[in-house]
Amino acid sequence: MFDNFQGSGIQHFGFKDVGVGRATLRQLNDAIQAAGARSYMEVVSASPEACLRSAEVAAELGVSRLLGGTDVSAMLAVLAGTGIEYFPAPGRPEGHPVKLAGSLAQIVDDCKRFMDMGCAGVDLLAYRATDVEPLDLVRAARAVVAPGGLVVSGSVSTPERVRAIREAGADLFTVGNAVLDCTYVPGERSALAQAKAMLADSRA
């Protein structure tokens, strides 16, 4: 699947830490980096123990960036000396599919704390928030997160949302099903065309 997106202009590619074996993850990560792109691994597991195992896998694979998890001190300790940039999840990610609990003040305080701890940025589940308006959350996080460090994840699935988070200050966003299931551009059956349309909207 990754081969289909080479030459698209996209310079950031990611994968989750579940679903396939370690050898497949290593092969994919190596292919992404060999193509000159940044590789991202997203933590899916919820328990602190599972998140630490994910950090260990990220360190073993040598990914460029690790997204997710909330036990920041322990995750940073695992990643120390690897050069991997860490983007933890502020607030309280809960359930499956994940929702983001927490007030605006609580989530922004987490963002500040994570930056003070030396994280590269945050992985903000803005459109999964249960108690805060998504764009209010993006704008508030933008005020405290270092340039380049604000990643918005989850349910970024329409051109309107891509443009809105860009205007609110997001640096990057993650996308999966909207491209792979070809729902971002209705009627377009090529995942590559879907990705190119999303890339154009993010830059417009």
Side-chain angles (χ1 to χ4, degrees), residues 162-176:
V162 168
R163 296 180 190 121
I165 60 171
R166 180 199 67 214
E167 292 167 3
D171 295 302
L172 298 166
F173 61 91
T174 68
V175 61

Side-chain angles (χ1 to χ4, degrees), residues 10-95:
I10 301 171
Q11 295 297 310
H12 304 263
F13 292 91
F15 49 88
K16 298 183 187 297
D17 63 339
V18 297
V20 297
R22 192 77 53 86
T24 300
L25 294 179
R26 182 178 294 107
Q27 184 179 19
L28 176 57
N29 182 69
D30 290 349
I32 292 169
Q33 294 182 342
R38 277 190 173 134
S39 63
Y40 294 68
M41 194 177 88
E42 181 182 6
V43 176
V44 176
S45 304
S47 73
E49 296 79 13
C51 288
L52 286 181
R53 287 195 296 272
S54 295
E56 291 167 356
V57 171
E60 178 184 328
L61 297 178
V63 300
S64 306
R65 292 175 166 178
L66 180 64
L67 305 179
T70 56
D71 190 354
V72 179
S73 294
M75 301 280 276
L76 284 171
V78 172
L79 299 175
T82 64
I84 296 171
E85 296 180 317
Y86 182 40
F87 296 69
R92 299 193 310 278
E94 299 174 344

Side-chain angles (χ1 to χ4, degrees), residues 105-174:
Q106 290 169 334
I107 296 171
V108 171
D109 282 348
D110 279 350
C111 292
K112 292 176 183 175
R113 180 165 55 87
F114 296 164
M115 297 308 299
D116 288 343
M117 294 173 72
C119 295
V122 300
D123 183 27
L124 184 64
L125 296 162
Y127 281 106
R128 303 286 179 82
T130 57
D131 305 308
V132 187
E133 286 297 318
L135 297 179
D136 289 344
L137 190 51
V138 176
R139 284 187 285 265
R142 173 72 288 160
V144 300
V145 174
L150 181 53
V151 180
V152 175
S153 294
S155 301
V156 183
S157 55
T158 66
E160 293 76 18
R161 288 187 174 185
V162 168
R163 296 180 190 121
I165 60 171
R166 180 199 67 214
E167 292 167 3
D171 295 302
L172 298 166
F173 61 91
T174 68

